[in-house]
Amino acid sequence: MPAELPLGKKLALAVATTVTFFVVVELALTVLGVKPVRQIRDPFVGFRPGVSLFARDGDDYVTDPRKLAFFNFQTFPVHKEKSSLRAFCIGGSTTYGRPYDSRTAYPAFLEAYLEEADPAIDWQIINAGGISYASYRLALLMEELRQYTPDLVIVYTGHNEFLEERSYSEVRDWSSSFSTAVGLASRSRLYSFMQAAREAIVSPPAPSVQMAREVTTILERDGPETYHRDLQLRERVLDHYRFSLERIVTMAEESGARVILVNPASNLKDFGPFKSESSVLSASTLERWNELFEEGRRELAEGNPDEALSALEQAESLDPHHAENLYLLGRALLEKGRPEEAYSYFVRAKDEDIAPLRALSEIEVIVSEVAAGHGIHLVDYPEILRLHNRSEHGQEILGSELFLDHLHPNIEAHAELAKALYEVVGDLGLSEGGPLPEEIEKRVASRAERLMGPADMGRALHNLAVTLGWAGKTSEALTASEGALELLPEDSEILATNGHLLAKLGREDEALELYLAAVKLNPENGVALARLGDHYGRVGRYEEARKFLQRAIDQTQVHWPAGFRSLLHVRLGRAYQQLGDPTAARQAFEQALGIEPSSEEARRRLAQMSASSH
């Protein structure tokens, strides 16, 4: 009778057998062409099939007109020549070039630098930046872009992760270890095979979160008031961000492209938090905190940084998580000539913002770790701008010298990113490389300046006003909008935006005048018509609301965001309800759901109407 193996050897043999089994199965499934789940779909969040970004037009691919509400118009040849090098720059509104457009965004600067320095190559630097696009939507976009034989993919993402409603209904209940396990399983072909086999027998379960076809931000719908401190949600969003970034990189590399990741930068010094919340404090502590906070804010406004600092530091000792208090502490320290301490408070204020519309510090860590894990180039944009700021402006903390709002770089800052990317493209061996010649930099900068006339600046200020408006910074938005109106006084769209901002500040009579002027200038301006109809609905003039909302719907364009088009039908339905026409109201709500099936208000109102009819 053979001697029984010791328990340790039994366990080692069992582990070795199990590992060998899974390795053999993975290799077999690789040969059979089975792909891991992470290459097929996102297990955290689902998307309905949407419109591809690019459509074929003869011998070229062009941006589909239905995507122009979120993307610049771009074009590139279907057939890539040997002399061509094709790069896709993917990201959010920074990559897009807001508040301007693609002409002054870093992809345009990069292409101009490369064309000047290495004209033998047909450089195709394609701007695939989508306004408000977060990493999970960029991963879906990357599934399309890898079909177009990219040589290079540049990824700048991280600011938009908290823009859309994601309840993670099931995912919120996952432990951190279970989230990690899902991420690891999504790499396995066996897991993918088992999922496919299961779905062949039974209908696949609904995704944990079903997202709309296009971006509908919380800010557009409800404003920053909807945000509240939720550390569990924050952790899940960061898990999802890491997963999406890994997925983007993996798909890009498997398509044969080189990848560059960019750490996102933002305005720390000259833009306060969007929303602050006090910690859970006793009534007496909260009362004392409020006294100190108000004292500090008042003293700082009156130019007394010493007194402000004393009060704000005492407030911080009572509540170290209040974003606005941390920001004011940074301002006070900066006025006292203590920039290093100020910087740490500005970073904390950004990270404690209840409406985190700038990339959190954890985002920067994740980008760095993913780059290191894949052995790919990382461009540390905040560090590049800090060095530039110190050289050109005498201090390192990023602020209005290089940013137009909370996160959108000015043209100078876009050029700085392009210069850094130019050097990395050379390091990758895709161009001749070396430092960017100064004469090329000056020539390209001069060309960019000539592109932007007064009308372009007016449009840029208008875009800035829109961004600030939906971010809840209404007064700042109105200032930008009034600047746009000075440059373009007869622009119907700017008049409508100005009116909308005045209405948000409670100045309804002034808003009405601007809406009427906007519609008079352009009777086909759907946004102005919608604003006017919404105004009449708010003041109880429902017949006028119905008339102008219907005219707005008649003028809506196919490329307008689905969320906005759906909302018009919801508002029309509300007007019909007030006018006592339930049949027309039901039809309007059903049309709203047809455009955007995730419209909660349309679904709720239809349910209420059905309940009341029984």
Side-chain angles (χ1 to χ4, degrees):
M1 182 176 180
E4 187 173 341
L5 289 172
L7 179 60
K9 288 189 176 181
K10 282 184 177 180
L11 288 174
L13 182 61
V15 170
T17 302
T18 302
V19 170
T20 302
F21 168 76
F22 281 111
V23 169
V24 170
V25 170
E26 284 290 310
L27 289 172
L29 293 175
T30 301
V31 172
L32 292 172
V34 176
K35 294 182 178 180
V37 167
R38 71 164 49 219
Q39 294 182 29
I40 303 168
R41 64 173 180 265
D42 186 337
F44 286 85
V45 64
F47 290 90
R48 299 177 182 86
V51 176
S52 295
L53 176 56
F54 296 106
R56 185 162 181 170
D57 182 14
D59 293 331
D60 295 314
Y61 287 114
V62 300
T63 306
D64 190 297
R66 290 169 289 182
K67 295 294 235 182
L68 290 176
F70 294 94
F71 293 87
N72 288 288
F73 179 81
Q74 301 281 278
T75 181
F76 57 95
V78 171
H79 302 291
K80 190 174 71 174
E81 302 294 336
K82 289 184 178 179
S83 62
S84 301
L85 192 144
R86 181 172 295 169
F88 288 100
C89 299
I90 68 173
S93 55
T94 295
T95 300
Y96 178 99
R98 296 290 269 188
Y100 306 108
D101 54 38
S102 63
R103 294 173 297 169
T104 54
Y106 71 83
F109 274 102
L110 176 60
E111 184 173 62
Y113 293 154
L114 290 166
E115 286 176 343
E116 290 270 0
D118 205 347
I121 296 177
D122 171 31
W123 296 100
Q124 299 172 9
I125 312 296
I126 299 144
N127 187 323
I131 296 171
S132 299
Y133 262 53
S135 59
Y136 45 87
R137 289 194 181 273
L138 296 177
L140 189 68
L141 175 61
M142 192 64 228
E143 292 182 12
E144 175 190 349
L145 299 183
R146 63 180 173 174
Q147 304 170 29
Y148 305 134
T149 60
D151 299 294
L152 176 66
V153 175
I154 299 169
V155 186
Y156 185 124
T157 182
H159 289 310
N160 297 330
E161 300 308 303
F162 293 85
L163 270 182
E164 292 187 87
E165 184 74 61
R166 283 181 287 168
S167 65
Y168 293 104
S169 53
E170 296 171 14
V171 182
R172 283 171 72 91
D173 297 327
W174 293 356
S175 67
S176 178
S177 57
F178 188 66
S179 295
T180 302
V182 170
L184 291 173
S186 68
R187 299 172 182 268
S188 165
R189 288 172 169 81
L190 177 59
Y191 178 77
S192 180
F193 177 78
M194 292 170 64
Q195 287 279 82
R198 178 177 180 273
E199 291 171 8
I201 299 170
V202 297
S203 299
S208 300
V209 185
Q210 186 68 54
M211 303 296 291
R213 293 185 185 93
E214 269 300 357
V215 178
T216 302
T217 71
I218 300 170
L219 295 166
E220 289 172 299
R221 193 185 65 230
D222 302 313
E225 295 77 19
T226 308
Y227 287 89
H228 296 285
R229 184 176 282 115
D230 188 335
L231 297 181
Q232 187 182 33
L233 176 62
R234 177 182 175 126
E235 182 182 344
R236 296 295 175 260
V237 169
L238 291 171
D239 286 344
H240 193 189
Y241 175 78
R242 183 186 293 274
F243 176 88
S244 299
L245 193 59
E246 288 269 10
R247 191 161 173 247
I248 291 167
V249 172
T250 299
M251 285 190 285
E253 290 182 326
E254 290 185 346
S255 72
R258 311 294 289 275
V259 184
I260 303 172
L261 297 184
V262 181
N263 244 333
S266 60
N267 183 340
L268 297 175
K269 175 171 63 72
D270 298 314
F271 208 97
F274 287 94
K275 184 179 180 183
S276 302
E277 271 186 1
S278 296
S279 303
V280 178
L281 305 173
S282 67
S284 59
T285 303
L286 181 60
E287 182 180 2
R288 177 57 179 156
W289 180 90
N290 278 320
E291 291 173 357
L292 291 165
F293 174 72
E294 291 302 330
E295 179 186 348
R297 180 158 56 182
R298 184 179 64 254
E299 294 289 358
L300 190 61
E302 292 176 357
N304 303 317
D306 290 305
E307 292 80 358
L309 190 59
S310 174
L312 294 169
E313 284 179 333
Q314 291 180 68
E316 184 205 2
S317 70
L318 299 177
D319 184 355
H321 300 293
H322 191 277
E324 185 68 20
N325 191 72
L326 294 170
Y327 176 73
L328 294 178
L329 265 168
R331 295 296 311 180
L333 285 163
L334 197 61
E335 290 192 25
K336 289 277 293 173
R338 295 158 62 181
E340 291 184 2
E341 295 170 81
Y343 172 75
S344 68
Y345 276 103
F346 288 137
V347 172
R348 285 177 59 193
K350 169 180 68 81
D351 289 341
E352 292 286 356
D353 196 338
I354 301 300
L357 306 183
R358 294 170 289 182
L360 300 172
S361 295
E362 294 97 321
I363 293 283
E364 294 185 47
V365 172
I366 291 170
V367 175
S368 301
E369 289 176 349
V370 171
H374 285 262
I376 58 181
H377 277 74
L378 170 69
V379 172
D380 191 346
Y381 192 29
E383 179 64 16
I384 289 166
L385 292 184
R386 281 194 289 269
L387 293 174
H388 178 78
N389 232 17
R390 183 172 64 190
S391 171
E392 298 295 323
H393 304 290
Q395 59 86 32
E396 290 190 8
I397 305 176
L398 302 184
S400 57
E401 301 89 354
L402 293 172
F403 288 89
L404 297 162
D405 54 18
H406 58 302
L407 58 83
H408 293 109
N410 62 20
I411 296 173
E412 177 186 354
H414 272 286
E416 286 301 307
L417 177 54
K419 284 162 59 179
L421 290 168
Y422 170 89
E423 292 187 11
V424 175
V425 170
D427 293 342
L428 290 172
L430 300 175
S431 69
E432 291 186 356
L436 180 67
E438 187 176 345
E439 64 271 16
I440 290 179
E441 183 182 348
K442 289 181 177 179
R443 194 155 55 239
V444 171
S446 176
R447 198 159 61 216
E449 288 175 7
R450 290 196 300 271
L451 284 173
M452 303 303 294
D456 294 297
M457 294 303 297
R459 299 305 305 168
L461 283 170
H462 172 252
N463 291 335
L464 182 61
V466 171
T467 301
L468 291 169
W470 62 247
K473 299 283 189 177
T474 308
S475 297
E476 295 90 334
L478 184 59
T479 299
S481 183
E482 287 172 344
L485 203 57
E486 287 181 13
L487 291 168
L488 298 170
E490 294 193 350
D491 187 292
S492 175
E493 191 175 353
I494 295 173
L495 283 165
T497 297
N498 227 33
H500 179 58
L501 294 168
L502 288 169
K504 290 175 73 173
L505 292 170
R507 296 158 64 178
E508 289 281 6
D509 291 341
E510 295 172 75
L512 177 59
E513 289 181 18
L514 291 174
Y515 294 148
L516 291 170
V519 170
K520 184 177 180 180
L521 277 170
N522 182 5
E524 297 180 354
N525 181 342
V527 173
L529 291 165
R531 300 292 190 207
L532 184 54
D534 191 35
H535 167 84
Y536 283 133
R538 286 197 305 274
V539 299
R541 295 169 61 177
Y542 299 112
E543 178 54 35
E544 287 101 327
R546 181 205 64 77
K547 180 177 70 174
F548 284 104
L549 287 168
Q550 185 60 62
R551 284 178 60 185
I553 289 169
D554 293 342
Q555 296 299 329
T556 54
Q557 304 295 312
V558 68
H559 68 270
W560 287 8
F564 177 73
R565 290 185 285 120
S566 175
L567 183 59
L568 289 180
H569 286 278
V570 168
R571 289 173 174 167
L572 180 63
R574 294 197 307 233
Y576 274 122
Q577 282 185 311
Q578 294 293 333
L579 291 169
D581 191 339
T583 301
R586 180 181 296 277
Q587 183 180 13
F589 295 137
E590 288 173 346
Q591 288 172 329
L593 277 178
I595 295 168
E596 186 47 82
S598 65
S599 173
E600 293 181 7
E601 183 176 357
R603 187 176 290 108
R604 184 180 70 252
R605 286 182 176 269
L606 283 170
Q608 290 170 347
M609 292 179 75
S610 296
S612 64
S613 65
H614 293 303

